[in-house]
Amino acid sequence: MAKESVDDDPTRSPLFNATFAKGVEVLAAFGPGRETMNLRDIATATGMTKSAAQRYAYTLEVMGLLRKDAETKRYSLTPRTMELGYRYLLVDPLVQRANPYLQDLNRQCGETVNLAELDGTDMVYVARFATHLKTAVHMPMGRRLPVFCTSSGRAMLSAMPPEQARALLQAAPRPKYTSTTVTDVDALMRIVERAREDGYSTASGEYYRGDLNLGVAVYDAQGRPAGAVNISAPSSRWTLARMRRELAPLLMETCRLISTTPPKPQAMEPFQVGTRPN
């Protein structure tokens, strides 16, 4: 039997810092259903001993990333953990380039506009301009959404070579979130092919009922797909046919500008206030 190589398991590399990785695991263990944890909870969630959990929790508390309740001895995340993700938003060139155009699109269509980037088999929201109108679901920045059943994910897939798109779909978990969720890979590939032909993708109530979406890929300076912009609107205000007719052209033009035309400095100013010294 062939030995497992470092390429197969990067954690076997001498460059891999297991101690640092465990600290990140402790932070990542907190979430819905685990808003607070004691040392035993942390140990169980991360697969480490209770004494190791104590060392990591203490270190993270000293760093200001965890707080410990004096009475219950339970730990929780602090607002300082948000800095880790916020710094990405400050330095990601796609977010910086896209923000002025996303804001303009939001004003034109009156509905929520999102920019998402691919991470594994999910799309992650990295910019968002919300509608002032009523919406049924809150989708904050940082939210992860499945590639296979969302318009932003399908837009990314349509920008890839077909064999790469198929491989990604096959690797992705594909639960049936609603009665209309498409999960079959061949059927999804036909949807992706239509998106490639139309220049935009669609999703209708496949992640949660009543949500209609259009998505278009955006590209980096080398012409590689870098992310996708989507417009999200409720079925109480729109039909998918009307969105195709009225909003798809606006969305495609916005994505063309993001991909090809850096915004003017004055357009960038509102997004840079307070982020850098004068």
Side-chain angles (χ1 to χ4, degrees), residues 29-38 66-67 74-78:
F30 290 86
R34 286 180 180 159
E35 294 85 356
T36 68
M37 290 191 285
N38 59 27
L66 290 183
R67 66 165 59 97
R74 297 181 71 83
Y75 292 87
S76 59
L77 298 177
T78 71

Side-chain angles (χ1 to χ4, degrees), residues 51 70 128 145 153 169 202 207 209 224 239 271:
S51 61
R128 179 176 176 82
L145 298 177
L169 285 172
T202 65
Y207 187 60
R209 288 186 293 273
R224 299 170 301 201
T239 63
F271 305 98

Side-chain angles (χ1 to χ4, degrees), residues 190-247:
R190 289 192 290 272
I191 292 172
V192 170
E193 178 57 32
R194 177 169 181 183
R196 190 177 291 115
E197 294 172 356
D198 291 343
Y200 63 90
S201 63
T202 65
S204 177
E206 294 189 49
Y207 187 60
Y208 61 92
R209 288 186 293 273
D211 183 52
L212 306 178
N213 282 266
L214 302 179
V216 174
V218 292
Y219 298 82
D220 63 19
Q222 288 72 45
R224 299 170 301 201
V229 178
N230 81 288
I231 298 175
S232 174
S235 58
S236 59
R237 289 196 292 270
W238 293 84
T239 63
L240 195 56
R242 182 179 162 219
M243 288 181 71
R244 286 178 179 272
R245 184 173 63 253
E246 298 181 19
L247 301 185

Side-chain angles (χ1 to χ4, degrees), residues 115-192:
L115 171 66
E117 296 180 6
L118 181 66
D119 183 41
T121 59
D122 292 327
M123 298 298 290
V124 181
Y125 283 165
V126 294
R128 179 176 176 82
F129 289 83
T131 179
H132 68 281
L133 303 172
K134 185 177 180 180
T135 57
V137 178
H138 177 53
M139 291 283 183
M141 283 194 293
R143 180 70 180 266
R144 304 179 71 90
L145 298 177
V147 163
F148 80 100
C149 66
T150 56
S151 65
S152 58
R154 291 170 177 176
M156 280 295 291
L157 292 167
S158 72
M160 300 175 182
E163 61 275 13
Q164 183 182 354
R166 179 177 286 274
L168 184 55
L169 285 172
Q170 290 172 334
R174 300 186 302 279
K176 198 168 183 64
Y177 292 102
T178 73
S179 61
T180 61
T181 307
V182 179
T183 60
D184 178 73
V185 171
D186 289 334
L188 288 166
M189 285 300 295
R190 289 192 290 272
I191 292 172
V192 170

Side-chain angles (χ1 to χ4, degrees), residues 89-111:
L89 303 180
L90 292 177
V91 300
D92 181 17
L94 179 59
V95 172
Q96 294 181 56
R97 189 169 77 243
N99 271 334
Y101 294 118
L102 299 176
Q103 185 178 59
D104 287 345
L105 178 60
N106 168 254
R107 289 170 175 169
Q108 291 179 72
C109 71
E111 299 292 349

